[in-house]
Structures are given as C-alpha cells and as structure tokens.
Amino acid sequence: MIVQKYGGTSVGTVDRIREVAARIKRTRDAGHSVIAVVSAMSGETDRLLTLGRGLSEKPVERELDALVASGEQVSASLLAIALGELGVSARSMLGYQARIVTDAAHTKARIQSIDGELLRRLAQDQVLVIAGFQGSDGDGNITTLGRGGSDTSAVAIAAATKADVCEIYTDVDGVYTTDPNTVPSARKIDRITYEEMLELASLGAKVLQIRSVGLAMKYGIPIHVRSSFSDTEGTIVTREEALLESVVVAGVAADKKAVKITMRHLRDEPGVVAKVFGALAEANVVVDMIIQNVSVEGHTDLTFTVSEEDERHAVEIARKVGEEIGVKEVLANADVVKVSIVGVGMRNHAGIAAKMFRLLADEGINIEAISTSEIKTSCLIHAKYTELALRVLHDGFGLANAPGEGA
Ligand code: ADP
Ligand code: ASP
Ligand code: MG
C-alpha cells in the first residue's frame, strides 16, 4: 500500500494530471495498492482566497473553508477521470467521504480520526483519489488543515491505512540543504531525520507542512519527498537510527513571516512578563523569540516575535496590557527574517552557534535576536539580507560541496 501525494504544480494542468495518472498506473501495475492525495491545481487556493477577501476583509471562516476546499475537489475528480481513460478503475473522494474527521477549528483544523479500514478495503480494487487539505467536523461542516495541509492529509491517511510509505510528489527533487529556488548551490539530501525535518519545516522550508512531519514521526511512517517531473530518487525522511552518520548542520532555512514587536520602557518587576505573555497566550498568539534587556532605573525593553498573521492582534494586546505596566511605546517591524541552521549533530558539537554569528558578522549583517534549541540556532536579521545570509550560512557550513560531510 502506497500513499502518493501530488502537490499543486504536479496537478497544475490537464497535461500534468495525465502524467500523474500514468505514474499511478505504473505503480499499480507493479502490484501496489495506491491511494492518491491531491492538492488544488497550482494558484487555485490563492485565487479562491482572493475572491473571498474581495467580498469581505475578514470572511467568515466556515465559509472560507467551504470556498477553498473546492480547489481539491476539482483536481481529485480530474485525476480520477484521467485514470479512467488509462483503464484504471478509480474513484475520487472528498474529505468527508473518506471519513476524515477534524476538530472545528476552521482554517487550521486538526485531524481527529480517519476510517483507515474502509480506505484500505476500497483501495484493494481501485485507486482512491482523495482531496487533500480538507475534512469535516463532528457537525458535518467542511474544514481545512492550514496552508500546505495536503501533506498532512497524506501522512494521516498513510498512518490510518498502515501504508508502507508516503510519497510526496512536488516540483523539486527532494529536500535540499536550503531552498534550491533561492540558493543555487543547494544540494539534495538523501536522508534526513524526522527531528531535523521538523525543525526545517517550522523554520520556513515549506516543502513539507510541519504537522505532516510530526505525524510521520509519531506513527513511524517513512516519507519519500520526490519530483513528479522525473523518476530520480528523492529524500527519505526517517528515524535517526536509520542514518549512518549524522551531519552537524543538515540544512538552512529562512522564515519570512516573522514580525518583531518591541514594548519600550516597561516596569521591571515580578509578574510583568507573565502578564504580557499570559494575555498573548489567552488570545492564541504563538510567540517565538523573546528578549528582555537589562533594566535601567527599574525599567526595561521587551522584544518578541510573532507570525505575520498574528501581528495586528499581538500589537493590540501589547498596547492594552502595556498601559497597566508603564509601557511608553509599542513598535512592530515586519522587515525582519529569521534564518536558522538545523542539524542533530549540533547536540554534541560546540561552537556551531559562534560560527553562525561570525559568518553573519563577516557580511556586516546585524543580529537582532537569537534563539536556540538542541538541534537548531536561529537569528533574526533585517529582511534585505535574507538571500545573502542563506548563501553565506549554507556555503559557510560546507553544505554546497562534499556531500554527507557537512560542517
Ligand atoms: P507543493 O505544491 O508540491 O506542495 P510547495 O510549493 O508547497 O510544493 O513546496 C515545494 C517548494 O518548497 C519548492 O519549490 C521550494 O521552493 C520550497 N523549499 C523551501 N525550502 C526547501 C528545501 N529545504 N528543500 C526543498 N524545497 C524547499
Ligand atoms: N491547496 C492547499 C494550499 O495551497 C493545500 C496544499 O496545497 O497542500 O495551501
Ligand atoms: Mg506544499
């Protein structure tokens, strides 16, 4: 049993859909059961969102979900038609027909259950083409899983049907050391751990939706990221033990959605920071990096980053709470980007962060905030340096050459 997910570019035209159908037929002819999971044709989700936002600045989220889910309905049925033309018995299924049940958090719903038995049984004598990105909540409302959510649909279906592998077909050959469309010297990685992929995805490498990686790790589903334009082997995302030797730095990523918010001149006393972040947490605003300066005469500055979708909300909250704690000014700056290096080998190598700071400094790039975890270091810098920073970090850690060795 193989689950194959085809992204927007892979089903972007009728010709591309025909090629996808041919690939599925080859897999089927080789003796495998196939469940295909499709994204909307490329550009379609954005087009639909623009239509909705043309009518309302803040469309009702339930209706936004009903609107954008239609993109996947089109590609799923077209692919089933194309398979039929090749003599392959196929049926398209929407999220609710595949019994993909989610919670009711419209536009960012989480999958609660899938009827894997049913899908496995149906897939025995026909190809199932399931619309990605969507499900329905307990009341039958259509929900979607967040941008890039078809990856998560595919991995969840692979887990529920106990598939052997989940293949993610996209417009690049696999997972690269950094975005190959930004840094030409980027190199394809043959194997990467779930942990590293999780960090890369959360730090801006959109090749896999982060939640799909988390699910694959939880259920031990190997992911094979590969191109729908060729037959070359892609990247296997797998457990750490399965890798021969871990590299120090596996990849570099940039998150352009970061916004820096600074609260100036707040009282430096117990409970102040708890008040600020408590209010943000209550409003479901996810805070990423945090820095608090040394205090001068009982006052300090507090800086933190949020994602651009949360900017307005976060600023409102900071202003409101700020009034109670002496804040003079709340500033928001979206002209920043978070660049990160990731690698499980960082666990037992010293000096990696220092080397990162040096590489940025040598290019005159100022670091505005830093955060680290066991296997990553991130720096917030001015957005105008994004490409330069990616390139110097990528090449500086030896990712452009000597495959497999890293830093
Ligand atoms: P799909 O429509 O198939 O889901 P996406 O556009 O969501 O495809 O993801 C593929 C894109 O991810 C690539 O075209 C590439 O520009 C981008 N990308 C960012 N970082 C990486 C990386 N480290 N490796 C590969 N691709 C990356
Ligand atoms: N079509 C959706 C999007 O563009 C889901 C996906 O492609 O994975 O975000
Ligand atoms: Mg995607």
Side-chain angles (χ1 to χ4, degrees):
M1 164 81 79
I2 299 181
V3 173
Q4 299 187 332
K5 179 261 176 176
Y6 292 95
T9 326
S10 306
V11 294
T13 63
V14 174
D15 285 338
R16 296 289 311 147
I17 289 176
R18 217 177 269 122
E19 285 169 40
V20 166
R23 183 184 295 271
I24 292 173
K25 181 175 189 311
R26 288 200 297 279
T27 315
R28 186 83 187 160
D29 290 347
H32 304 286
S33 293
V34 180
I35 296 181
V37 176
V38 289
S39 290
M41 297 170 83
S42 57
E44 183 63 8
T45 308
D46 287 332
R47 189 184 73 85
L48 293 166
L49 282 172
T50 307
L51 287 177
R53 291 186 178 135
L55 288 171
S56 160
E57 204 176 296
K58 207 171 176 307
V60 181
E61 289 190 330
R62 179 185 183 277
E63 304 310 331
L64 265 188
D65 274 354
L67 173 67
V68 291
S70 68
E72 272 72 9
Q73 177 165 356
V74 171
S75 47
S77 49
L78 288 177
L79 179 53
I81 292 171
L83 283 161
E85 276 305 292
L86 297 181
V88 178
S89 158
R91 95 147 80 180
S92 68
M93 296 178 96
L94 298 179
Y96 78 89
Q97 294 172 317
R99 313 227 176 112
I100 300 175
V101 179
T102 71
D103 62 17
H106 284 292
T107 76
K108 46 180 178 295
R110 301 183 73 90
I111 296 175
Q112 289 176 332
S113 66
I114 296 179
D115 192 341
E117 284 293 305
L118 170 78
L119 297 181
R120 222 186 142 86
R121 188 155 32 83
L122 291 175
Q124 268 167 11
D125 36 43
Q126 63 200 324
V127 172
L128 303 183
V129 184
I130 302 181
F133 181 49
Q134 56 171 271
S136 69
D137 69 8
D139 295 325
N141 298 300
I142 294 168
T143 53
T144 65
L145 311 179
R147 298 307 304 266
S150 297
D151 298 331
T152 301
S153 305
V155 173
I157 289 166
T161 57
K162 304 195 170 61
D164 300 291
V165 61
C166 182
E167 297 181 331
I168 304 279
Y169 286 91
T170 183
D171 57 1
V172 287
D173 280 345
V175 179
Y176 278 66
T177 46
T178 191
D179 188 343
N181 289 320
T182 310
V183 180
S185 61
R187 189 167 49 71
K188 188 176 86 191
I189 302 169
D190 293 332
R191 288 176 160 260
I192 188 168
T193 65
Y194 292 123
E195 288 86 351
E196 288 166 326
M197 194 61 237
L198 211 50
E199 292 281 12
L200 280 179
S202 74
L203 299 169
K206 71 162 181 170
V207 59
L208 286 175
Q209 197 198 32
I210 175 167
R211 280 161 51 198
S212 70
V213 186
L215 267 180
M217 179 154 106
K218 183 165 166 196
Y219 292 100
I221 306 287
I223 299 182
H224 185 177
V225 181
R226 56 191 309 187
S227 168
S228 65
F229 293 79
S230 75
D231 282 326
T232 48
E233 289 283 306
T235 302
I236 306 285
V237 188
T238 182
R239 290 193 321 272
E240 193 170 340
E241 302 86 87
L243 301 187
L244 283 176
E245 203 183 342
S246 53
V247 293
V248 179
V249 175
V252 179
D255 178 4
K256 298 177 180 140
K257 290 177 144 200
V259 178
K260 182 176 83 164
I261 295 180
T262 303
M263 300 175 75
R264 289 221 32 247
H265 194 79
L266 46 89
R267 281 203 298 275
D268 194 15
E269 58 191 34
V272 165
V273 169
K275 202 173 257 173
V276 174
F277 293 110
L280 289 165
E282 220 161 87
N284 275 325
V285 173
V286 177
V287 175
D288 181 20
M289 306 166 111
I290 299 175
I291 8 176
Q292 188 186 322
N293 285 0
V294 291
S295 95
V296 179
E297 286 161 12
H299 285 83
T300 180
D301 291 348
L302 181 67
T303 296
F304 57 90
T305 64
V306 298
S307 185
E308 64 188 10
E309 297 95 50
D310 285 332
E311 173 181 351
R312 253 178 46 193
H313 215 157
V315 169
E316 268 168 33
I317 292 167
R319 295 225 160 97
K320 191 151 164 277
V321 179
E323 282 173 14
E324 301 164 29
I325 51 178
V327 168
K328 282 200 176 142
E329 196 176 14
V330 175
L331 305 165
N333 180 0
D335 250 355
V336 290
V337 60
K338 183 173 73 167
V339 289
S340 309
I341 56 173
V342 172
V344 286
M346 285 167 75
R347 284 192 193 123
N348 35 33
H349 273 81
I352 302 301
K355 179 166 175 180
M356 178 181 194
F357 306 150
R358 170 55 48 206
L359 287 165
L360 294 175
D362 285 348
E363 297 296 328
I365 301 173
N366 190 40
I367 299 169
E368 304 184 25
I370 297 164
S371 69
T372 64
S373 81
E374 223 189 351
I375 66 163
K376 71 127 203 265
T377 304
S378 303
C379 293
L380 196 72
I381 61 170
H382 195 290
K384 71 180 176 199
Y385 296 123
T386 310
E387 279 166 35
L388 175 63
L390 278 180
R391 194 154 40 75
V392 300
L393 293 174
H394 183 261
D395 296 356
F397 279 104
L399 294 175
N401 37 47
E405 280 172 30

